[in-house]
Amino acid sequence: MNQRRPSIFEFLSHEKFLIAWLASEPRGGKTKLAADLRIHPTWLSQILSGDRTFSEDQVFGLSKVLSLNELERKFLFVLGQLSRSQHHEYKTQLYAELENLGRQSKDLSKRVIIDKDLGEHKKAIFYSSYLYSAFRLACSVGEGKKIEDLARIF
C-alpha cells in the first residue's frame, strides 16, 4: 500500500499503532517485522490482537526497528508499560505522561536536532530548492513553532 506512515502520537496502544504502521508497509511487512524482532509471526499476531504484550526488551527492539527518535521511543515505552499495567492509579499516571509527551511532540524545538553538520551531498539537496530555506527560516522566526503553524504557512 505504501501510504503515509502513522505518527505514534496518534495512538494510545502500541497494537493499534503497529497495525496502522504495517498497513503503510509493503506486503510481507508483518513477517519482516517479526523476523527483525526475533519473534515468531504467530506471537506477533497475538500481540496485535491484544492477547499478548511485548516485553520491555521487545519494546526496545521495536523502537530500534522502527527507527524512532528519542521522544517517540519514550512514548512507545510508556505505551508498553500501559499495556502491562493493572492498577488504575498507575494507568492514570501513564495516560498523563502520554499526554505530556504528545504535547512535546508538537513542539518542533523538541524534535529537531540543532547544530547537525550536513555532508556535501545533503547540502546540495538543501540548496537545490528555495522551499528548504523558506521552511528553515519559518522555523527560526519565533520560538517553539508548532507543526500546525508550519502546515498553515506551507
Side-chain angles (χ1 to χ4, degrees):
M1 290 193 173
N2 220 5
Q3 54 192 1
R4 179 187 75 88
R5 290 220 170 148
S7 169
I8 193 167
F9 301 108
E10 299 170 5
F11 298 90
L12 290 177
S13 80
H14 60 274
E15 297 93 352
K16 291 180 180 175
F17 166 68
L18 271 180
I19 290 169
W21 185 84
L22 287 168
S24 72
E25 288 295 296
R27 185 180 168 120
K30 189 167 152 183
T31 305
K32 183 179 179 334
L33 179 61
D36 290 344
L37 293 174
R38 295 183 172 95
I39 61 175
H40 197 277
T42 304
W43 188 270
L44 181 58
S45 293
Q46 291 172 347
I47 290 171
L48 294 176
S49 68
D51 294 337
R52 298 193 183 267
T53 60
F54 284 117
S55 69
E56 289 286 326
D57 292 338
Q58 290 168 333
V59 171
F60 178 75
L62 182 61
S63 72
K64 292 290 190 183
V65 169
L66 299 179
S67 301
L68 300 180
N69 65 34
E70 184 181 345
L71 194 59
E72 292 168 330
R73 187 175 298 128
K74 285 180 186 177
F75 196 88
L76 181 64
F77 286 146
V78 175
L79 288 179
Q81 291 172 334
L82 185 62
S83 71
R84 289 184 299 279
S85 68
Q86 299 295 318
H87 198 278
H88 70 284
E89 289 179 20
Y90 183 47
K91 284 187 176 196
T92 302
Q93 180 182 344
L94 291 174
Y95 279 121
E97 195 170 338
L98 288 174
E99 188 175 319
N100 181 35
L101 290 169
R103 264 195 310 278
Q104 288 180 31
S105 76
K106 293 180 180 176
D107 185 359
L108 287 180
S109 66
K110 303 279 187 200
R111 294 177 69 182
V112 176
I113 299 170
I114 299 173
D115 296 332
K116 185 176 180 181
D117 187 34
L118 298 176
E120 290 302 316
H121 177 69
K122 290 184 179 180
K123 283 181 184 177
I125 293 172
F126 179 80
Y127 292 112
S128 68
S129 172
Y130 76 94
L131 287 174
Y132 297 115
S133 293
F135 192 80
R136 185 187 65 79
L137 288 171
C139 290
S140 67
V141 177
E143 194 170 345
K145 285 260 186 194
K146 304 282 187 234
I147 292 173
E148 293 83 10
D149 298 336
L150 294 171
R152 190 178 62 250
I153 293 170
F154 294 97

